[in-house]
Amino acid sequence: MQSNTSILPPQTIGIIGGGQLGRMMAIAAKNMGYRVIVLDPTPNCPTSQVSDGQIVAAYDDMNAIKELTDKSDVVTYEFENVDLEAATFIKEQGKLPQGAYALEITQNREKEKTVMKALQLPVPDFFIIHNGKACQEALKEVSFPVVMKTCRGGYDGKGQLKLESEADIPNAIQFAEQNEHCIIETWLSFDKEISVVFTRDAKGAIEFFPITENVHKDHILFQTTAPAKISTEVQRKAYEAATLLANKIEVVGTFAIELFVSGNNIYLNEMAPRPHNSGHYTIEACNISQFAQHIRAICGLPLIPVKLLEPSAMINILGEDVEPTLKAMVNVNQGFIHLYGKAEAKAKRKMGHITFIGEDSIEQVKQFEEAKQ
């Protein structure tokens, strides 16, 4: 028997953010029979195209946040840079099961790394600086190369700078003066990058999706394969680290952690308090997707035990890939294509993704890439 606090169809789920993650959340919710309303400043945003309604307003517009809260039985979000005042308000109304703490941690790289370090999890050595002078002093303590990132904002390589040698110090000082609150991290040599995507419910139960192996191009995720080719030792360490973090931050919903692997060692990189690009493969390759599991968690429904049905490979469709992808669709009979309904195909902008499943999924990727030529 379900608890009387469960949110059941056709009750309404509110989503803050109208991009592709919100869209796929909404599709999962609509398939289950829920109503969906989205808050986003862009009319006809990707999520609104598959929802019951949209509030067109800025994310920090408190009148709009109150309207969304009033019209929703539960509220979630598709990105971590949600206004904390807004999140706190929704939580106080009893409609944000994810709470505000996970947002507070994951939207600030200093807090993120500090929590990881406090849990004695392996992270690169780091320094926090707030101005050019502090940056100059910190760089006296490091061995190059290092990477410098803004503590807030930044994704897909934006808001970061690699420093190869002392010759890059002037650029680093300028970056620090422009952005003020920054983190400087030791540059790690690693064998591969992996993602741990999981869902945790309000009672603390966790269901892990198979760990993925990620390949980036120009700092943007290009390809994700599942399951990752890693040792059982790396898998154990990754799941244990994720469990420690999930319980500390009291995660509710789907959550992702990116890690570097070097031999049998892992190093935690970044976290996302929401479904993740590297988990899109779950829509076709698993018995439940990261999005449907997320909806179950925030609505107070029991999590479904995860099974990988087929090995898979997923590739992103960026703005420059849209036309070649449409051309290839006519001639290729493999690959599940998801286009997000974004109005303008800009270069390097994520416009969709394709998932290939089966033991030959990597070969399918190659064939599709050839068909795009």
Side-chain angles (χ1 to χ4, degrees):
M1 182 181 294
Q2 296 303 327
S3 161
N4 58 12
T5 59
S6 296
I7 307 299
L8 297 172
Q11 288 181 278
T12 300
I13 298 171
I15 301 175
I16 301 174
Q20 64 264 26
L21 297 178
R23 180 188 181 95
M24 287 180 274
M25 281 183 202
I27 290 170
K30 293 299 291 179
N31 283 343
M32 294 170 71
Y34 289 100
R35 290 179 56 79
V36 175
I37 184 168
V38 57
L39 168 61
D40 192 277
T42 304
N44 194 39
C45 61
T47 306
S48 75
Q49 296 164 16
V50 294
S51 298
D52 298 283
Q54 178 182 0
I55 298 169
V56 180
Y59 300 127
D60 60 354
D61 181 331
M62 286 306 296
N63 287 329
I65 289 290
K66 288 171 184 174
E67 182 184 352
L68 180 73
T69 307
D70 287 343
K71 290 182 174 179
S72 304
D73 297 288
V74 66
V75 176
T76 187
Y77 45 80
E78 68 141 16
F79 57 85
E80 50 269 41
N81 291 314
V82 175
D83 182 74
L84 282 181
E85 181 187 352
T88 302
F89 171 81
I90 303 166
K91 179 188 173 187
E92 288 171 351
Q93 307 310 303
K95 293 185 178 181
L96 189 70
Q98 292 161 274
Y101 184 55
L103 285 171
E104 181 185 344
I105 297 300
T106 54
Q107 63 185 223
N108 184 309
R109 287 189 173 97
E110 178 180 2
K111 292 182 179 181
E112 197 172 61
K113 285 292 193 295
T114 301
V115 166
M116 292 173 179
K117 197 170 181 180
L119 291 171
Q120 298 184 314
L121 294 172
V123 295
D125 292 334
F126 65 91
F127 297 85
I128 303 297
I129 57 99
H130 292 88
N131 53 53
K133 185 177 180 182
C135 173
Q136 193 168 14
E137 291 301 312
L139 291 176
K140 292 177 182 177
E141 307 294 323
V142 305
S143 297
F144 291 92
V146 295
V147 63
M148 189 172 176
K149 304 175 184 176
T150 56
C151 278
R152 291 182 64 91
Y155 62 95
D156 290 346
K158 298 177 178 70
Q160 69 179 53
L161 180 69
K162 186 180 180 183
L163 311 176
E164 299 281 2
S165 68
E166 290 182 3
D168 293 319
I169 290 177
N171 289 338
I173 292 171
Q174 184 180 9
F175 187 89
E177 288 293 334
Q178 286 175 345
N179 297 289
E180 296 182 341
H181 190 193
C182 299
I183 184 169
I184 298 172
E185 297 179 10
T186 302
W187 184 268
L188 290 175
S189 296
F190 56 90
D191 302 325
K192 60 186 66 179
E193 182 192 290
I194 61 172
S195 292
V196 179
V197 179
F198 62 90
T199 311
R200 183 180 184 272
D201 69 17
K203 297 176 182 176
I206 298 178
E207 279 292 330
F208 288 99
F209 292 95
I211 294 175
T212 62
E213 188 171 328
N214 304 323
V215 175
H216 288 78
K217 285 186 179 179
D218 300 323
H219 301 290
I220 300 171
L221 184 65
F222 166 67
Q223 180 175 301
T224 291
T225 54
K229 292 180 180 176
I230 52 174
S231 66
T232 53
E233 178 75 356
V234 166
Q235 178 176 294
R236 179 187 65 79
K237 287 179 178 178
Y239 283 156
E240 285 180 358
T243 301
L244 270 173
L245 275 169
N247 291 332
K248 173 66 177 177
I249 301 175
E250 297 182 338
V251 169
V252 175
T254 295
F255 196 94
I257 305 172
E258 296 176 341
L259 308 93
F260 300 123
V261 178
S262 180
N264 275 333
N265 296 317
I266 62 167
Y267 298 92
L268 280 71
N269 183 25
E270 294 179 346
M271 305 186 287
R274 46 159 174 83
H276 193 259
N277 194 173
S278 63
H280 292 350
Y281 78 95
T282 60
I283 296 172
E284 282 87 19
C286 294
N287 62 321
I288 183 166
S289 75
Q290 62 168 344
F291 301 100
Q293 196 84 292
H294 179 76
I295 296 299
R296 295 185 69 87
I298 65 166
C299 290
L301 302 177
L303 303 180
I304 291 177
V306 174
K307 295 178 184 177
L308 180 68
L309 304 177
E310 296 263 22
S312 72
M314 181 223 74
I315 58 172
N316 276 324
I317 302 170
L318 303 182
E320 59 269 33
D321 301 321
V322 173
E323 287 301 323
T325 296
L326 295 176
K327 173 186 168 186
M329 280 178 72
V330 179
N331 300 311
V332 180
N333 67 349
Q334 297 182 89
F336 296 87
I337 296 178
H338 299 251
L339 290 171
Y340 302 146
K342 294 183 179 179
E344 188 179 355
K346 297 177 183 176
K348 306 303 177 190
R349 187 185 196 190
K350 292 173 184 171
M351 301 298 294
H353 72 268
I354 315 173
T355 302
F356 302 88
I357 61 172
E359 296 292 342
D360 64 341
S361 54
I362 299 295
E363 184 58 35
Q364 292 178 42
V365 172
K366 292 178 183 175
Q367 291 172 6
F368 199 93
E369 289 295 300
E370 289 171 3
K372 285 164 59 177
Q373 303 307 314

